[in-house]
Amino acid sequence: MTDLLLRNGRPWMPAQPLETADILIRAGRIERIGADLDAAGVETLDLDGALVLPGFVDTHCHLDKTLWSGPWVPNTGGRSLAGRIANGEGRRAELGIPNPDYSANLLAAMIAGGTSHVRSHIDIDPEVGLAGVEAVRAAAARHAGRVDVELVAFPQGGLISRPGTAELLDEALAGGVEVVGGIDPAGFDGDPAGQLNLLFGLAERHGAKIDIHLHDAGALGAWEFDLIIERTEATGLGGRVAISHAYAMGALPADDQRRIADRLTAAGVAMVTCAVGDAPVVPLRVMHAAGATLALGNDGIRDLWTPYGDGDMLRRISTVAFRDRLLADEEIELALAAGTMGGARVLGLSDHGLAVGARADLVTVEAPTPAAAVVGVPTRKLVLKGGCVVARDGQLAA
Amino acid sequence: MTDLLLRNGRPWMPAQPLETADILIRAGRIERIGADLDAAGVETLDLDGALVLPGFVDTHCHLDKTLWSGPWVPNTGGRSLAGRIANGEGRRAELGIPNPDYSANLLAAMIAGGTSHVRSHIDIDPEVGLAGVEAVRAAAARHAGRVDVELVAFPQGGLISRPGTAELLDEALAGGVEVVGGIDPAGFDGDPAGQLNLLFGLAERHGAKIDIHLHDAGALGAWEFDLIIERTEATGLGGRVAISHAYAMGALPADDQRRIADRLTAAGVAMVTCAVGDAPVVPLRVMHAAGATLALGNDGIRDLWTPYGDGDMLRRISTVAFRDRLLADEEIELALAAGTMGGARVLGLSDHGLAVGARADLVTVEAPTPAAAVVGVPTRKLVLKGGCVVARDGQLAA
């Protein structure tokens, strides 16, 4: 916990004009934002007009699977979902994953890029058991104070269709994993009511949040949105449920998108989009207009599923904005908001952002405007976590 | 023109294993590629195992429109094609474009990123006249010897529907512009036969190549592919005609894609894809399987059309590969081939590439494999043009 005075920054506070201001940090939190602040004896950093953004929130990644910093592994997963899952499981032992070194090195890259919070899905199945949870916890412990990591107990290989997995999810949640995950309750697992009832039951029992991978397209995916919304309302879990990917949403007609976004808002169900490959992106303008919560994530990074990715959330925010054809500055800022405050809402962080009282999890970049920062993906000058400088000029601080 | 011996590189020569080799350059061309070459008295650079790639070919950009290196200009173009064209024309005078400084600064960024050849469309209409041609020629002249720039006389505001434009295209071609451009002969210009007959007539008269922007979707776009293929065959212009964007191609059923790719191959019509926003990407595996020519480009870069883009062709190659879900190494290399040799075929360069006799237009990067270079987009260590080092570590050489 640190006291620090940031001078001459330009904090990005949505709905306020971008003006030069100082930010006074006391005990790791923002105490004041204003012009010419006085704080005798407090260490001072001159930001020289840099833009100040809230820390990025990577709301969807897979730290346990990554091969980051290891040797190049050509992808052998083929093109079917089942084949890729089989490849992902089949080569784990050969390649020594989950590997806490790989996960920790990826976290280091994320921190250097300005990510302050991460939600990572962790594969759980009867073969790997809870090894991924242990590996990622070990990796996160090495970066304690530099990034906060929340885990999702994720049945990547199926839940109803994979005997023994439900018991492992239960064990993971009992052991403190914060979120229970699901995967295509219909299209992959084959028993939508069965999987969803199980997930909501586990969430209620353990006080866990819910985050469901939903790749199912078209009418099938849209129908599953309804199933999830209904159960969220029935259980009172509004504000604690997210649908990740939600590919169907981006491809539906605009009227359907608006209707679903309104229902998401009313029920307190969020969506998380990653702009993977050519998959549809959840439409940012529609979600914003409805007041629905949207967050962003990097998804898989250099793993057996995809050779792509680098963990840089600002680049992912840029990719999402580009894919969703956000053009005007205020549109582009929607992507920045999703990659910061949207993620904070999904994770349940009440004290994230550029506001008095918030934790001083901040990023500074040289850019004329927030939209220009999204477009240009400049090097992160400073990354602060709880008021401490944890990275500088794109490199982890010593 | 330079003599140079590159030691210990790993040249990427498709269909050959990646092995450490030396590259001997004499008078700007590759004289030998092999192990332990001897060249007494020739300046030597040790590549220390770096990967060596052919220079990148940006086959589709708009150097005349760019605001690169100028102040940030929020996009005010709205969302309709007609509205965006009107915005693009309407704000030119206010913003002082075309601007040879902006164009030259963008070319500098492209060169630093390893681009050796550029095809730039240049807006031509009765208001701007040929000012874009002059501005981009002036910009290219500042970088003579560092990059080759080919121009397209492009009727961005319409051809048949914009009286006075055809005469200006004629004048541009008479003045040495190498390529005549078109734009959505049906969907935008309203007279597909009229526009195409005019373009092919101009090309025949001036010995020009043809490159047509085709955003029209679905059956309309596919029908226009046929019109272009028919005219190419009738005029004997095979090998000199390209369809840019070709959005319809990426969205058609696979059977139609294969049929069209075969027809493109037979007629000698190329496609150029840019992976813009959420627009469909021309499918690389289908084009490759058919033996059809596919090239890549950055399209608009920081202009009144789009705030995005940075001119980095390796990043664009990566974006195309990611969008087209190329996963295995040999798939990812298709994007690299399109961004180098595919572009060379469209531009009619017979001496591009990593082969004895070719011009020494080369890029080196630190990456274990070509696919890893596409995925990771590393800094370009060295960029050579005609055997001269024109950029180093991502910066233009002095």
Side-chain angles (χ1 to χ4, degrees):
Chain A
M1 293 302 173
T2 304
D3 292 357
L4 188 66
L5 178 62
L6 301 174
R7 282 226 185 272
N8 300 314
R10 288 180 302 134
W12 175 59
M13 295 181 287
Q16 294 188 41
L18 202 65
E19 288 174 350
T20 300
D22 300 341
I23 301 171
L24 178 60
I25 298 164
R26 294 263 190 204
R29 290 186 182 270
I30 297 174
E31 185 173 280
R32 285 188 66 195
I33 302 175
D36 300 319
L37 297 186
D38 190 25
V42 171
E43 185 191 348
T44 299
L45 279 174
D46 194 325
L47 300 185
D48 203 21
L51 203 63
V52 186
L53 308 172
F56 304 125
V57 181
D58 190 330
T59 310
H60 188 116
C61 66
H62 294 267
L63 292 173
D64 60 321
K65 299 194 219 243
T66 192
L67 297 157
W68 183 263
S69 73
W72 177 254
V73 177
N75 189 281
T76 50
R79 300 204 159 266
S80 73
L81 180 61
R84 293 173 71 204
I85 290 174
N87 182 69
E89 291 192 12
R91 297 190 65 193
R92 276 189 305 224
E94 165 203 345
L95 294 163
I97 47 175
N99 178 326
D101 292 335
Y102 293 167
S103 304
N105 291 339
L106 178 53
L107 276 172
M110 291 172 154
I111 296 161
T115 294
S116 60
H117 293 81
V118 173
R119 172 181 280 188
S120 175
H121 295 255
I122 308 288
D123 284 12
I124 291 179
D125 61 61
E127 275 156 43
V128 77
L130 302 186
V133 172
E134 290 158 25
V136 173
R137 278 185 174 155
R142 294 188 210 169
H143 291 293
R146 288 193 278 260
V147 67
D148 292 323
V149 180
E150 178 179 85
L151 303 189
V152 185
F154 174 46
Q156 170 78 77
L159 183 53
I160 302 296
S161 60
R162 189 74 176 262
T165 302
E167 293 76 4
L168 287 164
L169 294 194
D170 192 56
E171 185 183 338
L173 297 169
V177 167
E178 298 92 340
V179 189
V180 61
I183 180 166
D184 292 317
F188 184 73
D189 215 25
D191 182 358
Q195 184 187 117
L196 292 173
N197 292 341
L198 181 53
L199 294 182
F200 279 82
L202 284 167
E204 287 193 290
R205 179 138 37 100
H206 294 284
K209 291 171 274 192
I210 297 176
D211 192 334
I212 302 168
H213 277 65
L214 198 41
H215 315 85
D216 284 337
L220 181 60
W223 173 70
E224 291 174 274
F225 298 160
D226 278 338
L227 297 188
I228 293 167
I229 289 168
E230 287 162 12
R231 282 165 176 76
T232 302
E233 290 172 333
T235 55
L237 283 173
R240 299 174 64 79
V241 177
I243 304 174
S244 276
H245 298 313
Y247 290 158
M249 182 68 170
L252 286 168
D255 280 353
D256 291 335
Q257 290 177 338
R258 283 189 288 266
R259 181 185 57 75
I260 292 167
D262 287 338
R263 290 206 64 199
L264 293 170
T265 304
V269 175
M271 283 184 172
V272 186
T273 195
C274 300
V276 174
D278 58 347
V281 173
V282 177
L284 280 84
R285 285 166 287 148
V286 173
M287 293 290 280
H288 175 72
T293 297
L294 178 65
L296 312 184
N298 273 298
D299 199 17
I301 297 163
R302 303 281 178 94
D303 57 30
L304 289 168
W305 287 69
T306 176
Y308 298 92
D310 59 9
D312 184 339
M313 264 307 288
L314 184 54
R315 186 164 297 285
R316 184 60 54 146
I317 289 166
S318 187
T319 298
V320 168
F322 182 64
R323 281 291 315 280
D324 201 32
R325 286 196 187 264
L326 305 180
L327 296 171
D329 278 29
E330 58 270 25
E331 293 175 353
I332 295 170
E333 287 186 37
L334 296 180
L336 194 54
T340 53
M341 302 313 292
R345 276 194 293 280
V346 171
L347 269 59
L349 310 173
S350 58
D351 55 355
H352 192 68
L354 271 157
V356 169
R359 277 194 54 162
D361 294 352
L362 306 172
V363 187
T364 78
V365 291
E366 287 178 2
T369 68
V374 171
V375 162
V377 195
T379 301
R380 290 358 84 82
K381 294 294 291 177
L382 288 177
V383 180
L384 288 90
K385 177 76 181 170
C388 297
V389 174
V390 295
R392 211 181 270 272
D393 296 322
Q395 302 293 326
L396 214 60
Chain B
M1 293 301 174
T2 305
D3 293 357
L4 188 65
L5 179 62
L6 302 174
R7 283 224 185 272
N8 300 315
R10 287 179 303 131
W12 175 58
M13 296 182 286
Q16 295 188 38
L18 200 66
E19 288 175 350
T20 300
D22 300 342
I23 301 171
L24 177 61
I25 298 165
R26 294 261 192 208
R29 289 187 181 271
I30 297 174
E31 186 174 277
R32 284 187 68 192
I33 302 175
D36 300 318
L37 297 187
D38 191 23
V42 172
E43 186 192 346
T44 299
L45 279 175
D46 194 325
L47 300 184
D48 203 21
L51 204 61
V52 186
L53 307 172
F56 303 126
V57 181
D58 190 329
T59 310
H60 187 116
C61 66
H62 294 267
L63 292 174
D64 60 320
K65 298 194 220 242
T66 191
L67 297 157
W68 184 261
S69 74
W72 177 253
V73 178
N75 190 280
T76 51
R79 300 203 159 267
S80 74
L81 180 61
R84 293 173 71 205
I85 290 174
N87 182 69
E89 290 192 13
R91 298 191 65 192
R92 277 189 303 223
E94 165 203 347
L95 294 164
I97 48 176
N99 178 324
D101 292 335
Y102 292 168
S103 304
N105 291 340
L106 178 53
L107 277 172
M110 290 172 154
I111 295 161
T115 294
S116 61
H117 294 81
V118 173
R119 171 180 280 189
S120 175
H121 296 255
I122 309 288
D123 283 12
I124 289 179
D125 61 62
E127 276 156 41
V128 77
L130 302 185
V133 172
E134 290 158 24
V136 173
R137 277 187 176 152
R142 294 189 210 169
H143 291 295
R146 288 194 278 259
V147 67
D148 293 323
V149 180
E150 179 180 82
L151 304 188
V152 184
F154 174 47
Q156 169 80 76
L159 183 54
I160 302 296
S161 60
R162 189 72 177 263
T165 302
E167 293 76 3
L168 287 164
L169 294 194
D170 192 55
E171 185 185 339
L173 297 168
V177 167
E178 298 92 340
V179 189
V180 61
I183 181 165
D184 292 317
F188 184 71
D189 215 24
D191 182 359
Q195 184 188 118
L196 292 174
N197 292 342
L198 181 54
L199 294 182
F200 278 82
L202 285 167
E204 288 192 291
R205 179 138 38 98
H206 293 285
K209 291 171 274 191
I210 297 176
D211 192 333
I212 301 168
H213 278 66
L214 199 40
H215 315 85
D216 285 337
L220 181 59
W223 174 70
E224 292 174 274
F225 298 161
D226 279 337
L227 296 187
I228 293 167
I229 289 168
E230 287 162 12
R231 282 163 177 76
T232 303
E233 290 173 332
T235 54
L237 284 173
R240 298 174 65 78
V241 177
I243 304 173
S244 276
H245 297 314
Y247 291 159
M249 182 67 170
L252 287 167
D255 280 352
D256 292 335
Q257 291 178 337
R258 283 190 287 267
R259 180 185 57 76
I260 292 167
D262 286 339
R263 291 207 62 200
L264 294 169
T265 304
V269 175
M271 284 184 170
V272 187
T273 195
C274 300
V276 175
D278 57 347
V281 174
V282 176
L284 280 85
R285 285 165 286 147
V286 173
M287 294 290 279
H288 175 72
T293 297
L294 178 66
L296 312 184
N298 273 298
D299 200 18
I301 297 163
R302 302 280 178 95
D303 58 31
L304 289 168
W305 288 69
T306 176
Y308 297 93
D310 59 8
D312 184 338
M313 266 305 289
L314 184 54
R315 186 163 298 284
R316 184 62 52 146
I317 289 166
S318 187
T319 298
V320 168
F322 182 63
R323 281 290 315 280
D324 201 33
R325 286 193 186 264
L326 305 180
L327 296 171
D329 277 29
E330 59 270 25
E331 293 175 352
I332 295 170
E333 287 186 38
L334 295 180
L336 194 53
T340 54
M341 304 312 294
R345 276 194 293 279
V346 171
L347 269 60
L349 309 173
S350 59
D351 56 355
H352 192 69
L354 271 157
V356 169
R359 278 193 53 164
D361 295 351
L362 305 172
V363 187
T364 77
V365 290
E366 287 179 0
T369 68
V374 170
V375 162
V377 196
T379 303
R380 288 2 80 83
K381 294 295 289 176
L382 288 177
V383 180
L384 287 90
K385 178 76 180 169
C388 298
V389 174
V390 295
R392 211 182 268 274
D393 295 322
Q395 302 292 326
L396 215 59

